[in-house]
Amino acid sequence: MTHEQFFEDYVLGATRSTTGRTITEADIVMHAGQTGDFFPHHMDAAWCATQDFGQRIAHGTLVFSVGIGLTATVINPRAMSYGYDRMRFVKPVFIGDTIYSKVEITDRRDHPKRSGHGIVVETVTITNQRQETVLVCEHLHIVERRTARG
């Protein structure tokens, strides 16, 4: 779906939430193969049984990728992703956990070099099925202004 939204249209405090996605063993194995991260925390069930968590944990980058992917439901032709800041892996995600994402508009500011654009910051909070926060980050967007600033 496409929804055109200019910089001026973003409202601080506006939120949206996603449906859930269950993390599977196949997700972890595929992510390890794609990234080369075969650390035992993700791949070795016997070793993990001797560690604090007692079981394999999903890669933080996998949780990030899936959680952000859940938010990608609307295309805004007036905006582009500018990157991510302040990412924290708060709690582990295990095989069988279902994650959800909540997005809140937490900042709008001038772009330092582009007068025709601003920066919109979305704080993304990813939670598990127990409503525990597992990952938090800021997603920055460059968004076209309705009219350029002088």
Side-chain angles (χ1 to χ4, degrees):
M1 174 168 61
T2 301
H3 175 73
E4 188 173 78
Q5 193 170 6
F6 289 92
F7 176 77
E8 296 85 354
D9 299 327
Y10 285 84
V11 176
L12 290 177
T15 63
R16 59 190 171 92
S17 297
T18 71
T19 58
R21 164 84 153 65
T22 302
I23 301 299
T24 66
E25 181 177 20
D27 292 324
I28 292 172
V29 171
M30 286 180 56
H31 193 77
Q34 291 170 334
T35 64
D37 181 350
F38 291 97
F39 278 119
H41 307 80
H42 315 300
M43 306 303 293
D44 188 334
W47 181 80
C48 285
T50 69
Q51 302 303 303
D52 290 342
F53 296 130
Q55 58 185 310
R56 288 174 287 169
I57 59 175
H59 303 75
T61 52
L62 170 62
V63 174
F64 170 72
S65 297
V66 172
I68 294 300
L70 288 170
T71 71
T73 57
V74 176
I75 298 168
N76 180 2
R78 303 294 176 184
M80 288 289 289
S81 180
Y82 192 45
Y84 298 88
D85 285 343
R86 306 164 79 95
M87 185 184 312
R88 296 293 178 265
F89 304 123
V90 179
K91 282 186 172 258
V93 172
F94 304 109
I95 294 168
D97 280 352
T98 301
I99 61 173
Y100 305 83
S101 296
K102 179 181 175 187
V103 176
E104 179 179 1
I105 305 300
T106 53
D107 193 20
R108 286 182 350 150
R109 59 183 181 257
D110 293 336
H111 191 286
K113 296 180 181 177
R114 296 181 180 184
S115 63
H117 294 79
I119 296 174
V120 173
V121 179
E122 297 178 332
T123 296
V124 180
T125 303
I126 302 172
T127 58
N128 62 21
Q129 69 276 10
R130 293 178 296 282
Q131 299 179 346
E132 299 167 328
T133 299
V134 298
L135 188 147
V136 177
C137 67
E138 293 179 346
H139 186 185
L140 285 67
H141 300 269
I142 297 177
V143 184
E144 184 180 338
R145 290 180 183 275
R146 194 169 265 109
T147 57
R149 294 175 60 115

